[in-house]
């Protein structure tokens, strides 16, 4: 009987070992592959590690979906890498705080690729009040071979959903010397598009740029981008923006650059809860000859309604919290009460505001208010806010 029991135990042990081996051999490998070319039919990429090759275009009527936890690595030795959503297409990238979707570059060098670019047909007001314009990213349509245009009348345009997405090392500058890309570029994107919990990390141009449109964005982080943390033009008018956090490190220009193509619009964007930080020793992109070191700059009739703002570290000699760059903006926007900055907390003892040479700026008491209780952006940290051990919110 004892021998029989030992035999059964041995059999059980062997069976367990075989089962374990089978489970190991049948484990599913992490999906991988190449993302390239034009998408003319809907496509979903499950959580995996993918390589982005060249300019990828999501065509009109097509939805490209990328699952949470995916890592997309741009890797090309020539040409331009970028993830582009054409007007009428949709990009669905819904990550989580624990499993963000990361779009990066193999070299980890700022300016190595074009980032995420979305085109729509929401309203713009461009130079001389035009309602359409040509993009400045240097890209051309694969169908027409001509540069992309943007603008329209579809205020509720929907270009998809970006949630918990991080773009790293983007901001490529095209060889013609004038065309530039950003971490995120939104050309006439409409209010039907969802932009939440996004990070633009160490790009060689702006962290985010809005070219007109009506889209709003919440919980944005711009870290270490060498031009402006946030930038817009063409009459962007998003109304539901909140929790914007900029950390300028190493090289950076304005925390926010605000312009409107020299058109005195009767509307403006609204943003609540803003933190603008500049690390000690941070220099401007253009060196000492470029005085682009203020927290917020308004020019070319740029305007906006901003509240609960904390400004820290903009201590370069001559810097100010808010600068009005030209006389027309001072007359049309400051005197016209179209720039409002309320509940502002300025650390480091810099001035509240100033004008460029020869411009005397005086905000109405209700248009510019200070508050020692201002908190700035309130963003919940997680894996999505940490890169290579760096907490981007510190």
């Amino acid at each position: 009987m004892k021998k029989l029991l030992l035999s059964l135990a041995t059999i059980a042990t062997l069976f367990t070992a075989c089962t374990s081996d089978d489970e190991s051999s049948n484990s599913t490998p992490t999906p991988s592959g190449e993302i390239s070319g034009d998408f003319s039919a809907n496509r979903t990429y499950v959580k995996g590690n993918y390589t982005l090759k060249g300019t990828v275009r999501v065509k009109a009527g097509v939805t490209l979906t990328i699952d949470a936890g995916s890592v997309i690595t741009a890797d090309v030795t020539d040409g331009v890498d970028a993830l582009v959503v054409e007007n009428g297409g949709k990009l669905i990238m819904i990550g989580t705080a624990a499993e963000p979707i990361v779009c990066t570059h193999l070299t980890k060098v700022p300016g190595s690729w074009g980032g995420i670019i979305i085109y729509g047909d929401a309203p713009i007001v461009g130079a001389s009040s035009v309602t359409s314009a040509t993009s400045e990213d240097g890209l051309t349509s694969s169908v027409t071979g001509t540069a992309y245009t943007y603008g329209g009348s579809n205020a509720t345009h929907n270009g998809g959903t970006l949630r918990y997405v991080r773009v790293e090392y983007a901001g490529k500058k095209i060889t013609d010397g004038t065309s530039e890309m950003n971490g995120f570029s939104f050309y006439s994107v409409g209010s039907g598009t969802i932009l939440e919990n996004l990070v633009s990390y160490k790009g060689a141009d702006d962290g985010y740029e809005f070219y007109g449109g009506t889209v709003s964005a919440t919980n944005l982080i711009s870290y270490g981008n060498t031009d402006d943390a946030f930038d817009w033009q063409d009459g962007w008018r998003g109304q539901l923006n909140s929790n914007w956090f900029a950390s300028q490190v190493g090289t950076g220009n304005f925390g926010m650059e605000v312009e409107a193509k020299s058109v005195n619009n009767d509307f403006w964007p609204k943003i609540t809860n803003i933190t603008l930080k500049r690390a000690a020793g941070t220099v401007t992109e253009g060196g000492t000859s470029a005085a682009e070191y203020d927290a917020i700059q308004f020019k070319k009739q740029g305007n906006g309604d901003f509240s609960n703002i904390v400004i820290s570290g903009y201590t370069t000699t001559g810097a100010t919290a808010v600068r009005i760059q030209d006389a027309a903006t001072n007359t049309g926007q400051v005197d016209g009460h179209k720039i409002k900055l309320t509940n502002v907390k300025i650390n480091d003892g810099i001035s509240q505001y100033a004008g460029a040479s020869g411009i005397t700026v005086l905000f109405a008491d209700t248009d510019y208010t200070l508050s020692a209780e201002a908190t700035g952006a309130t963003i919940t940290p997680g894996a999505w806010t940490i890169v290579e051990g760096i907490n981007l919110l510190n």
Side-chain angles (χ1 to χ4, degrees), residues 272-324:
T272 61
N273 308 334
I274 302 167
T275 295
L276 304 176
K277 297 174 62 176
R278 190 175 183 89
T282 299
V283 299
T284 60
E285 187 179 31
T288 56
S289 62
E292 297 181 325
Y293 39 55
D294 305 306
I296 306 174
Q297 184 212 49
F298 293 91
K299 66 179 181 180
K300 297 183 179 180
Q301 301 284 9
N303 58 18
D305 183 345
F306 314 129
S307 62
N308 188 24
I309 307 162
V310 174
I311 295 171
S312 303
Y314 292 82
T315 57
T316 302
T317 301
T320 183
V322 176
R323 187 175 302 277
I324 307 301

Side-chain angles (χ1 to χ4, degrees), residues 169-336:
Y169 311 111
K172 187 176 182 67
K173 291 176 171 56
I174 310 302
T175 53
D176 63 9
T178 59
S179 300
E180 299 176 344
M181 299 174 177
N182 308 287
F184 293 87
S185 302
F186 303 114
Y187 285 94
S188 57
V189 174
S191 61
T193 308
I194 296 174
L195 306 175
E196 297 177 353
N197 300 88
L198 307 180
V199 175
S200 181
Y201 177 82
K202 288 192 176 181
D205 205 80
D206 301 322
Y208 304 83
E209 185 153 6
F210 298 84
Y211 301 84
T214 56
V215 69
S216 296
T218 61
N219 301 335
L220 301 187
I221 299 172
S222 177
Y223 184 96
N225 294 291
T226 61
D227 195 352
D228 310 312
F230 304 102
D231 191 351
W232 63 85
Q233 56 182 288
D234 294 314
W236 173 61
R237 62 189 86 181
Q239 297 293 293
L240 300 174
N241 305 280
S242 65
N243 291 325
W244 286 20
F245 187 100
S247 185
Q248 297 185 280
V249 179
T251 302
N253 295 334
F254 302 111
M256 297 170 63
E257 185 176 38
V258 184
E259 70 154 286
K261 291 292 178 67
S262 298
V263 179
N264 188 355
N265 297 307
D266 290 327
F267 55 81
W268 47 82
K270 295 181 180 180
I271 311 171
T272 61
N273 308 334
I274 302 167
T275 295
L276 304 176
K277 297 174 62 176
R278 190 175 183 89
T282 299
V283 299
T284 60
E285 187 179 31
T288 56
S289 62
E292 297 181 325
Y293 39 55
D294 305 306
I296 306 174
Q297 184 212 49
F298 293 91
K299 66 179 181 180
K300 297 183 179 180
Q301 301 284 9
N303 58 18
D305 183 345
F306 314 129
S307 62
N308 188 24
I309 307 162
V310 174
I311 295 171
S312 303
Y314 292 82
T315 57
T316 302
T317 301
T320 183
V322 176
R323 187 175 302 277
I324 307 301
Q325 191 62 31
D326 56 82
T329 301
N330 191 38
T331 301
Q333 307 306 315
V334 177
D335 296 346

Side-chain angles (χ1 to χ4, degrees), residues 315-375:
T315 57
T316 302
T317 301
T320 183
V322 176
R323 187 175 302 277
I324 307 301
Q325 191 62 31
D326 56 82
T329 301
N330 191 38
T331 301
Q333 307 306 315
V334 177
D335 296 346
H337 308 288
K338 296 179 182 180
I339 298 176
K340 297 180 184 297
L341 301 113
T342 56
N343 296 325
V344 181
K345 181 179 181 181
I346 304 172
N347 297 315
D348 311 306
I350 62 173
S351 64
Q352 296 180 44
Y353 53 82
S357 179
I359 301 172
T360 300
V361 179
L362 182 61
F363 278 94
D365 290 343
T366 55
D367 290 345
Y368 196 119
T369 65
L370 299 178
S371 172
E373 306 303 318
T375 59

Side-chain angles (χ1 to χ4, degrees), residues 115-176:
I116 293 177
I117 305 170
I118 302 179
Y119 298 97
D121 55 358
I124 73 164
V125 179
S128 302
S129 297
V130 298
T131 56
S132 64
T134 301
S135 69
E136 66 175 40
D137 53 27
L139 296 177
T140 57
S141 168
S142 59
V143 175
T144 65
T146 58
Y148 285 104
T149 60
Y150 61 100
S153 58
N154 181 16
T156 59
H157 156 265
N158 182 353
T161 298
L162 304 183
R163 186 177 286 135
Y164 291 105
V165 177
R166 186 166 70 236
V167 169
E168 303 174 349
Y169 311 111
K172 187 176 182 67
K173 291 176 171 56
I174 310 302
T175 53
D176 63 9

